[in-house]
Amino acid sequence: VDTLTEYKALLGDIDKLNSAVSLLQWDQRTYIPAGGHTGRAEVLGKLSKMAFELATSDRLGGLIASLEGAEDLSELERASVRVVGRDYRRNKAIPADLFERFTIARVNSESAWEQSKDSSDFASFAPHLSEMVRYVRQFAELYGYDESPYDALLEEYEPGMTAARLRAIIEPLKAKLVPFLRHLMENGSAPDTSFLRGRFSVKAQRDLAMEALRAIAYDFDAGRMDDTTHPFTIEIGPGDVRVTNRYHEDLVLSGLFSALHEGGHALYGQGIPETLRPLGLADGASYGIHESQSRLWENMVGRSLPFWRYFHSKIADALPTLGGRSPEDLCGAANVVQPSLIRVEADEVTYNLHIMLRFELEVALLTGDLDVMGLPDAWRDGMRRYLGVEPTCHADGVLQDVHWSAGLIGYFPSYMLGNLYAAQLYATARRELPNLDEQIERGQATVLLEWLREKIHHQGRIYEPETLIQLVTGEPPRSTFFVDYVTEKYSRVYGL
Amino acid sequence: VDTLTEYKALLGDIDKLNSAVSLLQWDQRTYIPAGGHTGRAEVLGKLSKMAFELATSDRLGGLIASLEGAEDLSELERASVRVVGRDYRRNKAIPADLFERFTIARVNSESAWEQSKDSSDFASFAPHLSEMVRYVRQFAELYGYDESPYDALLEEYEPGMTAARLRAIIEPLKAKLVPFLRHLMENGSAPDTSFLRGRFSVKAQRDLAMEALRAIAYDFDAGRMDDTTHPFTIEIGPGDVRVTNRYHEDLVLSGLFSALHEGGHALYGQGIPETLRPLGLADGASYGIHESQSRLWENMVGRSLPFWRYFHSKIADALPTLGGRSPEDLCGAANVVQPSLIRVEADEVTYNLHIMLRFELEVALLTGDLDVMGLPDAWRDGMRRYLGVEPTCHADGVLQDVHWSAGLIGYFPSYMLGNLYAAQLYATARRELPNLDEQIERGQATVLLEWLREKIHHQGRIYEPETLIQLVTGEPPRSTFFVDYVTEKYSRVYGL
C-alpha cells in the first residue's frame, strides 16, 4: 500500500508537469505575443522532457512491476496499473536517441511539407515522407504486434483496435455509403443555402458560439472559450477544460459548429471524475471515443431539427438578418452533402470516405505494398473510387493533411471511429431516453449529457474503447448504426 | 570553461521552470475559470518547488564554488557568479523544514489578516503577526548582518541597502516634506477635479490605457495587456513581458495611471538584453530600481504638462465628454494632493510619508522596541506626525496592507526608494537630454526610453542599486532631487 501511495504521488507529479505544459500550449495558440514564440518553444521542450523522463523513469517502472504482482488492489487500481503499465512500456520501447533523431527529422519533415503544400510540389516532400514511414515502421517493430505492424501504431490512438478489425468495420460501411452518396447526388435535391451568403460580424458569431456552448451545458466555471487559428480543446487541469474557436465572416455557421465540436470534447473532459486522476485514468478512453463525443454534439445534436427548433431564437438575437428563417431552413442549410477534395471541409456523408482512403494508403505504405512515389496516383485513383472527384493539384490532394509529415500514421481512423461510435451511442441514447428529441427541442440537453456522463465520461480510461462501446450499447462497434443514421437523415433532407 | 557551460545550462533550466511558473501565475490572475484555482495552486506549488530545489542544489553550489575560484572569467561572468552566488547562499541559509513551517504559518496569517481587515479587528490578527515577526527575526539571524537585523531583510529587496543608510536618506526628506505638505494644504489652492465626476465606460478606459502604453513605446509584439483585479507586470519569458490593468467606472484616470505605472515596469523588462539571461542577470537591479521605472513613467512623465499636451487628443478620442478640457485642466486634475489614510491611494507628495511610518514601525518590531500589541497606537501616533490624519478603524490603519501578514518586512522602503531614484534619474535625464519636454510634447517618448535603456535597462542585475545610481547620475542616492521635484511642481500646481 506504501507502493501505491508512492505510485500515485509520482503520477501526480507527471500530471502537474503536464498541466503546466498544457497551459503553455494553450497560451502559445491564443494570447502569446509574436516575440514570445522562440522562448516558449524552449520552455515547452524542457518541461515536456521532464514529464517524459518521469514517465519513463526506472522508479515508475519499479512501482508498476511491484503493483502488477500485488494481490490486494481494487478493481480501479488494477485498471490503473494495466493502463499506466501499457503506456510505460510503449514509452520505453523507443530508445531515447532514436526518438531524438526522429524528432529532428519530424521538424524538418513538417516544414518541408508546409513548403511543398504551398507550391503543390510532391517530389520535394517525398524523401521526408519516406523517412517518416521508415521511422514509424521501426517504431512498430519496437512496440511489437501480432498480425500487422499497423496494429502497433493504432494502439497509440485506439487501444485494442487492429487493421483487421478496422477492415471488418469498413467493408460494409463502404458497400453502403458509396452507392448512397451517388444516389443522393443524382436523385436528391439539395437544401437552399443562398441565405447564408454575405458577411456576418465576428463578434456576433462569437456570441452565438458562446450560446451554443451554453445550450449543450458546457460549464463556464470549469473552462472558457478563446479565439485561435485552428480550434482545439485542452484540459489545463482539474476544473479547467478550455475550448478555442475561430470565425470566418463569410462562413456564418462554421464557427458555430466548430464550437459544438470542441464543446463536445470539452464536456467529456469536464465529465471525467477527479477520483480517477491520482490513478492516471482521468483521460478519454481513446482518440476515437473522444471524437465520438465531439461528433455526437456537433452532428447528431447540432445538425438536428429538434436542436434548431430550440436554438432558432438565439440565431435571431445574434444575427437578425437570419432571424426570419425557419428552424427547417436553417437546419437544412447545415446539412448539405457535397463530395469534395478536402477532408476537413467534408460533410457527414462523405467524411468517412476520406478516412477510408487514408487508411488504405497508410497500411499500404507501412507494409511496403505502396511506394511513396506511387502515392499521388494511388490518391487520385482512390478519390475517384470513393468520392467520384479528383484533385488537379497535390495541395488539394495527397499534401492536404499535416499528419503524415509528422509521422502520425494510424491516427486517421480515429476520426472515422468517432463518427461510428457517435451513431452507435446516439442510437442507444434514443432507445434509453425515449423523449430525447422533445427535451433537446426544449433546450434540455442536460438529459443527454447526464446519460453520456454516466455511460462514457465517468469511465475515463478504465476500459478499452471496444469494451466500453460493448458495455454501453450491448454490441461491439459496428457501422450499421451510422449507415442507418445517414441514410434515414439525408434521404429525408434530400427528399428521397 | 566546461564548468561555465554547465552553470549556464543549469541557470537555463531554472529560468525555464520559472517561465512556466510565471505563465501559471499570470493565468491565475487573468483568465483562469473559477473551478481551476484548487488544481492550479498544486501545480504552482510543485513547479515552484522544483525550481527552488534546482536553485539550492549542491550541483549549483559546486559550480558556483569552482567559478568563484576561476581566473579566466569575463567581467560579466564574474558579476553573474557574484549575484547568483549571493542568491544561492541566501536560499540555502533557511533550512527547508523551517521554511516549510513558515510557509504554512504564512498562509494562515494571510487569511487571518483578510478576516481581521474585514471586521477591522486587530486583536485576532496580532498573534499571527507576532509569529511572522518571530520568523523573519530568525531568518535575519540565519542570513547574517553587520549592524541591524533589518539589513539582512532589506538585502532581499534592495541589495547593499541598510537601515542606517535609509535613515540618512529619510531624515532630510522628512524635514522638508512634512512642512511642505502643511504649507501646501494651508496656503495652496487645489486644482479643479469636478469635471472628472461621473461614469466612464470601461471599454473606453481600456482603449485609452492601450494608447497610453503606445505613447510610452511599450512593445506589443513582446507583451500584451489584460484585465485583472490588482494590476501587476510579469515577465513570462524572452520577448514576453505582460501588463495587467483594472478600471473603475467612476475613477476615470485611475486605469490610465496604473497602465503607465505597469508600463514602466514592463519597459524595464523589455529592455533587459537577452545576452544577460544565460548568466542569471536578466532581471531588475532591485525592487527599488524597478519601482523607479514605473514611477518615472507614471509620475515624472505621465503627470507632466508636456505629456498631456501630447496625450490630450487621445483623451478626446476615447472620452468625448472630456474632450473640451485643456491639457492644463487635465494635468492639474491628475496632480491633486490630499493627506489620506490609505497608502495605495496616496499622491506623489504624501506617498513617501506612508512609507517612512512603515519603515519606522517595522524596524521597531524587529528589534523588539515595539510590541505587536502596541502597534495600533504607534500607527495612529505616526499618522498624526507624518500626515496629520488619524484612522478611526484598523482596516483603514494598521491592517490596510497585506505585506506584514505575509512576512514581508523590509519590502516597503523599495516603494520610497523607487520615488527617490526616479527623481534623481529624471533630473539626470533632463540634464543630458535638453529638449526632453519638447520631445515628450511631440509624442517622442522613445528619446527618454532609449536613454533609460542604455543607462538602466541594459545593465540588468549587474550592479547593486546604489552603484547603478552612482554610475548613471554621478551621485549616490539622495532625496534632494525628489524634494526639488515635488516642491517646484506642486508649488506651481497649487499656485504658491
Side-chain angles (χ1 to χ4, degrees), chain A residues 50, chain B residues 7 9-18 46-64 81 83-94 156 280 461:
Chain A
M50 289 172 78
Chain B
Y7 169 79
L10 184 50
L11 293 183
D13 287 351
I14 298 170
D15 193 62
K16 288 180 188 84
L17 277 169
N18 284 330
K46 178 67 193 169
L47 265 79
S48 306
K49 196 174 167 204
M50 289 173 79
F52 189 76
E53 278 167 1
L54 285 183
T56 53
S57 61
D58 293 342
R59 218 178 111 213
L60 182 59
L63 291 165
I64 293 168
V81 176
V83 168
V84 173
R86 190 198 62 203
D87 287 355
Y88 178 79
R89 275 182 289 272
R90 280 184 72 88
N91 286 333
K92 290 290 270 191
I94 315 291
E156 184 74 25
R461 302 178 74 196

Side-chain angles (χ1 to χ4, degrees), chain B residues 149-160:
Chain B
Y150 194 79
D151 301 349
L153 303 178
L154 265 178
E155 183 73 11
E156 184 74 25
Y157 313 104
E158 213 57 24

Side-chain angles (χ1 to χ4, degrees), chain A residues 13 16 19 23-24 26-27 31-36 39-40 42-43 46-47 50 221 223-224 236 238-240 242, chain B residues 13 16 19-20 23-24 26-27 31-36 39-40 42-43 46-47 50 221 223-224 236 238-240 242:
Chain A
D13 287 350
K16 289 182 188 83
S19 173
L23 185 72
L24 289 160
W26 171 82
D27 184 75
Y31 290 128
I32 198 173
R40 177 61 49 85
E42 285 191 29
V43 175
K46 177 69 195 168
L47 264 79
M50 289 172 78
D221 281 337
R224 41 181 298 117
I236 309 282
D240 191 357
R242 303 186 189 184
Chain B
D13 287 351
K16 288 180 188 84
S19 173
L23 185 72
L24 289 159
W26 171 82
D27 184 75
Y31 290 127
I32 198 172
R40 177 60 51 84
E42 286 191 29
V43 175
K46 178 67 193 169
L47 265 79
M50 289 173 79
D221 281 337
R224 43 182 295 117
I236 309 280
D240 191 356
R242 304 187 189 183

Side-chain angles (χ1 to χ4, degrees), chain A residues 179-197:
Chain A
F180 178 66
L181 175 62
R182 195 170 309 126
H183 178 50
L184 209 61
M185 291 298 100
E186 285 170 6
N187 307 315
S189 50
D192 178 24
T193 57
S194 59
F195 57 88
L196 297 181
R197 277 185 217 126

Side-chain angles (χ1 to χ4, degrees), chain B residues 47 73 114 351 367 399 437 450:
Chain B
L47 265 79
L73 296 188
E114 226 166 293
Y351 192 95
T367 55
L399 288 176
D437 278 353
E450 288 309 320

